[in-house]
C-alpha cells in the first residue's frame, strides 16, 4: 500500500467523524487539548529510546521532553496529524526514572551517610538500624534520643554486659584458624571458625549453612548463640563472596514497600527494576482527568504507575479494575474461558491460531475467514472491518429477561474481542522475540545497515501498542452508553485502528528479507498510520471517560 | 555426616544428665530421623506427676532446621492441640537456632507446660477454658494428666471416664439437657463448640443458645 492510500484512509476518518457535527466540535476541541499532554509523546519517546539504550541508557532515560530528531519513523508518524505541543496545559509533567536495585541501594547508603554525623556510629551499624526501622529515620532518631543503649543492645549492636570490654577477654570478631576445635553445631572437628565478641564460636561451614538459609528472609542475622548481630562485612567474610547484597535485596524490598507512593516495582515477572516518580502528588490530577501515568522500566516493560497493569489506554484505571474484576467473575460463573482453537466455519477442522493476523486460511479446505467473527474474509478485505462493532438487536418489545440476556450477550461480545486481541498481542510479542534474527537476516542477505533495519522492531512496537490500545478500548466500549454519538465515533475509531492493525500485522507475516526491504516504505506508512489511529482512539476514549459517557458504576 | 554425629552426641548428653529427668531414644536403631523423648510434668502445675511423651522427627537439614515435635501423650494445654498433640512454640518454628538441642527443646516444652501462652493458642477451646475459668481448667488438665500421662502406656485410657468431666464440663449441665431428651454425646459436643463449661440455670439467653445449637 502506498502513502497516498494511507492518507486516503485518514481523510476517510475525518469525513466519517463529521457526520455528527455537534459532538464533533466538542471532540475536536478536546482533541487538541489532549495533544498537549506530555504523556503520549513522552511515551513515544521511550519506545524509541529503548532501542537506542543499547548504546547509552544513562543519558537518555530521564529526558522525556527531548524530541528525538533522527527517527525516520517518527517524522512519518507525525506528518499527518498536528504535531503535539508540549506545553502541558492539561496534565502535569510527571518525571520519573527507572532504577535498579543497585541504584536504590546507593540511595540507601546516602541516607545512612546523612545520619552518620548525628549518630556517630559506624555506617554499617546505621544500615542495620535502618533495616530494623524499615527505613524510617524519624522513628530511629526518636528511639535513639530516648534510649540509645537499649536500642543498640536490642539490635544486637552492643553486648548486654558492658563490663567485659573488648580485648579484656581477648575476643576479636573474625575468622580464626584453630588446630583442634569441635564445633558444637555439627560436632565435627574443624580448623576454621568464626568467633564474635560474645565468645560464641562455631565453624565457618555451619555459619555458611546458617547464613544461607537466612539471607532470603531479610532479617538481621545474629550470632547463632545470642542476639549479637552479624554485619554485612562479617557475612561476606564468612561466605567468602559478596553475599550480603542478597540480604540487602530484601531490605530494598522493604524500602520500596515503605515508599510505595513514589517507588514501584516493575510488575513484570523476574524484572528487578524500580520506577521512581519524582512528584507523586500530581498523580491525582491524572486520575481526575481519567489519564494514567504509563512508565517504562529499564528492561523496556511498560506499565501503569497507578494500578501496575499493562498500558491500558484508552481505558483508565477504574475501567480496568472493573473490567478485570468482571472478567474474573464472569469466567468463574459462566465459564467464559475461551478455547484457543476454533473450528473452520466450512470444514470444521480445528484450527489453532499461531500468528497475530486475524485473516485465517484453513489449511485443509483453503477457506479464508476472519478469526473474530468466523465470517468469510473477502468482505473484510480492504474495506471496513465489521467485526469490532457490536450490532445491537433493535427488536422491540422484549421482556426484562431478554434484557438480561442481551447484557450478557453484549458482554460476551466485548469480552471475546478483548480476548482475541490479547491473544493476538501475545502472538505478536512472540514474533517480536526473534525480531533480532530477522534484522540480522536483513543485514546478511540484503546488506542493509543495522540502523536501517530498525524499522522492523519499530513497527512491531507500534503494532503492539496499537493492539493493546485496541484491546482496552473494548473495555471502554462495554462501559459506554451505546446510544451516545461519541460512543459511535469511538466505535468508528476502533474500526479504523483495527483495520490498520490488521494491515500492519499482515505485513509482518512476510518472511523473505528481500521482499521486506522492497516494502520498507509500506512498513513505515502502515506503522505511522497505526500510531496515528492509536492516539486518536486514546483521545476519543478519554473524552468518553471525561464526559461520563463511559461509567463503570451504574 | 554431621547430622548423625550431632544426634549421637545429643543422646549422650541426655544420658549424662540424669538429674534433668529427660529421656531421649530412637524409635528404631536404624533410623536416626525418628526419636521419642519424654519428660516429667513440672511440679506445682496440673501436669505434675505425669510423664509426657514427645514424638520427634529430625529433618535432613538439622540442626539448621528445627526438629518436628508433637506430643504423643494427650495434654490439656492452650498451646497444644488436644486432638493431634501439635505444639505451638516459637523455638520450634521461626525462632529456632542451630545451637538449640533436642534436650533443650524438650526442656522448653516442659517450660511451656509451666507457663502457657493463651494469647497465641493452638487449641482455641482449651485456651478459652484457660482464660475464662482457671480453676476448672486446672482440674481438667490434672484429670488429663492422671488419665493419659502415666508412666506405663498400658493403662492409658483403660479407665472409663465421664466425657463431660474430660472436657471440664459440669455434669449437671449435661444431665439437665439429657433430661430434655437430647443425646449425651450431642450435648457435650454442643457445649464444647460453644465453650460452655458450667451454667447458671436462670441464664435463659445461654440456655436458648445451647438449645439452638443442639437443634442445628
Amino acid at each position: 500500500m502506498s502513502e497516498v492510500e494511507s492518507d486516503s484512509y485518514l481523510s476517510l476518518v475525518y469525513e466519517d467523524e463529521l457526520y455528527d457535527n455537534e459532538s464533533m466540535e466538542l471532540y475536536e476541541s478536546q482533541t487538541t487539548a489532549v495533544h498537549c499532554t506530555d504523556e503520549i509523546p513522552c511515551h513515544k519517546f521511550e519506545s524509541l529510546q529503548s532501542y537506542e539504550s543499547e548504546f547509552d541508557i544513562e543519558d537518555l532515560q530521564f529526558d522525556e521532553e527531548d524530541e528525538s530528531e533522527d527517527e525516520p519513523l517518527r517524522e512519518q508518524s507525525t506528518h499527518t496529524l498536528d504535531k503535539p505541543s508540549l506545553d502541558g496545559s492539561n496534565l502535569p509533567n510527571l518525571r520519573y526514572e527507572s532504577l535498579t536495585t543497585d541504584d536504590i541501594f546507593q540511595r540507601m547508603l546516602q541516607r545512612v551517610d546523612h545520619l552518620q554525623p548525628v549518630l556517630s556510629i559506624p555506617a554499617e551499624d546505621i544500615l542495620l538500624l535502618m533495616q530494623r526501622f524499615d527505613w524510617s529515620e524519624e522513628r530511629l532518631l526518636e528511639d535513639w534520643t530516648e534510649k540509645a543503649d537499649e536500642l543498640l543492645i536490642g539490635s544486637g549492636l552492643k553486648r548486654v554486659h558492658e563490663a567485659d570490654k573488648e580485648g579484656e577477654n581477648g575476643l576479636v570478631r573474625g575468622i580464626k584458624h584453630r588446630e583442634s576445635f569441635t564445633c558444637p553445631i555439627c560436632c565435627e572437628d574443624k580448623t576454621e571458625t568464626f568467633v564474635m565478641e560474645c565468645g560464641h564460636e562455631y565453624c565457618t561451614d555451619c555459619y555458611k549453612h546458617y547464613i544461607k538459609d537466612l539471607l532470603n528472609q531479610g532479617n538481621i542475622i545474629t550470632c547463632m548463640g545470642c542476639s549479637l548481630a552479624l554485619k554485612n562485612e562479617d557475612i561476606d567474610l564468612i561466605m567468602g563472596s559478596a553475599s550480603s547484597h542478597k540480604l540487602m535485596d530484601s531490605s530494598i524490598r522493604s524500602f520500596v514497600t515503605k515508599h510505595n507512593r513514589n517507588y514501584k516495582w516493575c510488575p513484570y515477572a523476574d524484572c528487578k527494576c524500580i520506577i521512581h516518580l519524582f512528584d507523586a502528588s500530581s498523580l491525582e490530577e491524572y486520575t481526575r482527568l481519567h489519564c494514567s501515568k504509563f512508565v517504562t522500566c529499564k528492561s523496556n516493560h511498560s506499565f501503569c504507575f497507578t494500578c501496575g497493569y499493562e498500558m491500558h489506554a484508552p481505558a483508565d484505571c477504574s475501567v480496568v479494575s472493573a473490567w478485570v474484576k468482571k472478567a474474573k467473575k464472569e469466567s468463574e460463573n459462566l465459564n467464559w474461558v475461551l478455547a484457543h482453537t476454533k473450528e473452520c466455519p466450512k470444514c470444521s477442522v480445528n484450527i489453532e491460531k499461531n500468528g497475530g493476523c486475524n485473516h485465517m486460511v484453513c489449511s485443509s479446505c483453503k477457506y479464508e475467514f476472519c478469526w473474530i467473527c468466523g465470517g468469510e474474509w473477502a468482505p473484510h478485505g480492504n474495506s471496513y472491518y465489521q467485526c469490532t462493532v457490536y450490532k445491537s438487536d433493535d427488536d422491540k418489545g422484549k421482556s426484562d429477561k431478554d434484557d438480561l440476556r442481551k447484557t450478557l450477550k453484549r458482554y460476551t461480545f466485548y469480552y471475546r474481542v478483548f480476548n482475541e486481541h490479547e491473544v493476538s498481542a501475545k502472538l505478536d510479542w512472540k514474533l517480536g522475540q526473534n525480531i533480532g534474527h530477522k534484522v540480522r537476516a536483513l543485514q546478511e542477505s540484503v546488506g542493509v545497515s543495522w540502523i536501517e533495519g530498525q524499522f522492523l522492531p519499530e513497527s512491531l512496537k507500534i503494532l503492539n501498542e496499537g493492539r493493546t490500545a485496541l484491546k482496552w478500548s473494548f473495555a471502554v466500549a462495554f462501559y459506554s452508553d451505546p446510544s451516545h454519538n461519541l460512543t459511535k465515533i469511538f466505535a468508528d475509531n476502533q474500526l479504523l485502528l483495527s483495520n490498520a492493525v490488521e494491515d500492519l500485522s499482515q505485513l509482518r507475516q512476510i518472511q523473505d528479507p528481500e521482499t521486506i526491504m522492497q516494502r520498507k516504505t509500506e512498513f513505515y506508512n502502515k506503522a505511522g498510520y497505526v500510531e496515528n489511529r492509536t492516539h486518536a482512539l486514546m483521545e476519543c476514549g478519554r473524552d468518553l471517560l471525561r464526559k461520563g459517557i463511559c461509567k463503570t458504576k451504574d | 555426616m554431621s547430622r548423625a554425629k550431632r544426634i549421637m552426641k545429643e543422646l549422650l548428653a541426655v544420658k549424662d544428665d540424669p538429674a534433668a529427668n529427660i529421656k531421649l531414644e530412637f524409635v528404631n536403631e536404624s533410623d536416626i530421623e525418628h526419636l521419642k523423648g519424654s519428660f516429667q510434668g513440672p511440679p506445682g502445675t496440673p501436669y505434675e506427676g505425669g510423664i509426657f511423651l514427645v514424638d520427634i522427627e529430625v529433618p535432613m537439614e538439622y540442626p539448621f532446621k528445627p526438629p518436628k515435635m508433637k506430643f504423643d501423650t494427650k495434654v490439656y494445654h492452650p498451646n497444644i492441640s488436644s486432638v493431634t498433640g501439635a505444639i505451638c512454640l516459637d523455638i520450634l518454628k521461626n525462632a529456632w537456632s542451630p545451637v538449640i538441642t533436642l534436650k533443650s527443646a524438650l526442656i522448653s516444652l516442659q517450660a511451656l507446660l509451666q507457663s502457657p501462652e493463651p494469647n497465641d493458642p493452638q487449641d482455641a477451646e482449651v485456651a478459652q477454658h484457660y482464660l475464662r475459668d482457671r480453676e476448672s481448667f486446672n482440674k481438667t488438665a490434672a484429670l488429663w494428666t492422671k488419665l493419659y500421662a502415666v508412666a506405663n502406656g498400658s493403662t492409658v485410657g483403660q479407665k472409663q471416664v465421664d466425657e463431660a468431666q474430660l472436657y471440664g464440663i459440669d455434669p449437671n449441665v449435661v444431665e439437665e439437657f439429657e433430661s430434655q431428651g437430647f443425646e449425651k454425646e450431642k450435648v457435650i459436643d454442643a457445649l464444647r463448640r460453644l465453650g460452655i463449661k458450667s451454667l447458671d440455670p436462670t441464664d435463659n439467653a445461654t440456655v436458648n443458645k445451647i438449645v439452638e445449637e443442639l437443634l442445628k
Side-chain angles (χ1 to χ4, degrees), chain A residues 63 73 165 224 283 296 502 549:
Chain A
D63 295 333
L73 197 74
K165 279 177 198 148
M224 284 192 264
L283 270 181
T296 305
E502 286 309 320
I549 302 159

Side-chain angles (χ1 to χ4, degrees), chain A residues 3 24 56 61 75 80 111 113 146 159 267 272 274 382 407 451 502 525 538:
Chain A
E3 210 174 314
M24 194 56 215
D56 196 349
Q61 63 182 342
E75 283 162 24
T80 44
R111 287 172 66 175
D113 284 346
E146 273 172 23
R159 294 184 47 216
K272 289 247 168 71
I274 298 143
N382 290 323
T407 322
I451 195 81
E502 286 309 320
N525 291 337
M538 282 179 178

Side-chain angles (χ1 to χ4, degrees), chain A residues 310-322:
Chain A
E310 61 173 351
M311 283 173 54
H312 53 62
D316 66 0
C317 296
S318 64
V319 167
V320 171
S321 104

Side-chain angles (χ1 to χ4, degrees), chain A residues 1 114 177 219 249 265 293 304 312 330 338 427 480 503:
Chain A
M1 196 184 284
H114 279 302
H177 292 279
N219 300 325
D249 274 357
W265 286 101
K293 178 66 187 170
C304 169
H312 53 62
E330 297 291 335
L338 296 173
L427 292 169
S480 298
D503 267 359

Side-chain angles (χ1 to χ4, degrees), chain A residues 56-73:
Chain A
D56 196 349
I57 297 170
E58 296 304 318
D59 283 354
L60 284 161
Q61 63 182 342
F62 307 134
D63 295 333
E64 289 171 19
E65 287 165 45
D66 191 359
E67 295 274 321
S68 178
E69 303 293 323
D70 50 3
E71 274 303 328
L73 197 74

Side-chain angles (χ1 to χ4, degrees), chain A residues 182-189 202 205-207 209-210 213 224-225, chain B residues 1-3 5-7 9 61 63-65 94 96-100:
Chain A
T182 310
C183 171
I185 306 289
C186 60
C187 307
E188 304 270 355
D189 292 331
Y202 309 102
D205 288 335
C206 280
Y207 252 120
H209 201 133
Y210 168 74
D213 280 351
M224 284 192 264
Chain B
M1 200 167 86
S2 64
R3 183 174 66 140
K5 227 174 182 171
R6 163 134 173 179
I7 294 169
K9 207 174 167 186
E61 296 95 336
F64 300 100
K65 290 267 151 44
N94 46 9
W96 172 260
S97 156
V99 293
I100 300 171

Side-chain angles (χ1 to χ4, degrees), chain A residues 7 54 180 226 294 375 465:
Chain A
D7 273 341
E54 281 174 44
S180 74
C226 64
F294 297 114
E465 278 170 20

